[in-house]
Amino acid sequence: GDESGIIKIMRCDQGKIVGQLDAGENSVEKVEFSYDDQYIAVASLTGTATIWSPNDLKMRHALPHPGGLTSLAWHPKKPFLVTACVDGAVRVWDVRNGALISEMYGHHNVITDLDVYFDGKILLIVTSSEDHTVRLWAFDEENPIKPEQHQEPE
């Protein structure tokens, strides 16, 4: 992906472009296949994460955010997508239905990157931010922090 919002899908073994996705009019920040190759997620500065099918290259869901996305990562075992936004929040989405299942606040500035680790029960999320901090988050599917439960950082 690039500043045009066009993502080209290439078969590296053949050296051929086999398709493309149009993610919008703004910069593509990150593209990742899901753990099972059933989905492609695109983070864009448009403020929307888009979920695509790699089979027919059609968009399945548009996940709205209050600002641009800077990073994303897939849960390594489940169809959950973790997104980082310029508002300093981490969000967890169920891509089967496009539902926001958790929203976590703590950074005072833009999240610049994130990564995930699953220990078999809890999804650990590590983020870095322009507020010069690194944070470790724990996402428990059985007890997620609901969007309406969040508190803005002081």
Side-chain angles (χ1 to χ4, degrees):
D2 62 17
E3 291 178 358
S4 72
I6 301 294
I7 298 133
K8 295 186 177 168
I9 311 282
M10 182 178 196
R11 290 265 327 236
C12 294
D13 60 340
Q14 298 174 357
K16 293 182 182 178
I17 294 173
V18 295
Q20 68 180 29
L21 311 174
D22 186 353
E25 301 174 7
N26 216 326
S27 177
V28 172
E29 296 299 305
K30 192 163 187 182
V31 178
E32 275 198 18
F33 279 88
S34 62
Y35 69 97
D36 59 1
D37 295 328
Q38 294 300 305
Y39 304 100
I40 301 169
V42 178
S44 172
L45 290 178
T46 61
T48 303
T50 50
I51 308 300
W52 303 78
S53 166
N55 298 321
D56 60 11
L57 302 179
K58 294 198 183 292
M59 186 172 27
R60 297 295 181 237
H61 298 289
L63 311 175
H65 291 71
L69 280 93
T70 55
S71 192
L72 54 76
W74 286 98
H75 188 296
K77 302 278 186 199
K78 299 190 178 191
F80 296 157
L81 181 69
V82 181
T83 59
C85 186
V86 297
D87 70 349
V90 173
R91 293 173 177 86
V92 182
W93 304 82
D94 185 333
V95 299
R96 294 170 293 192
N97 57 18
L100 176 62
I101 52 179
S102 187
E103 190 170 45
M104 298 168 273
Y105 286 83
H107 285 293
H108 298 280
N109 207 331
V110 174
I111 296 174
T112 54
D113 205 3
L114 68 83
D115 203 359
V116 298
Y117 171 78
F118 184 59
D119 72 357
K121 180 169 174 14
I122 304 292
L123 181 68
L124 299 176
I125 304 163
V126 63
T127 56
S128 60
S129 170
E130 288 183 4
D131 65 11
H132 307 288
T133 64
V134 173
R135 292 191 181 267
L136 182 64
W137 314 81
F139 170 73
D140 180 354
E141 181 182 357
E142 295 178 17
N143 295 299
I145 298 171
K146 303 275 191 219
E148 62 273 9
Q149 293 175 323
H150 85 269
Q151 294 181 345
E152 296 289 338
E154 295 177 7

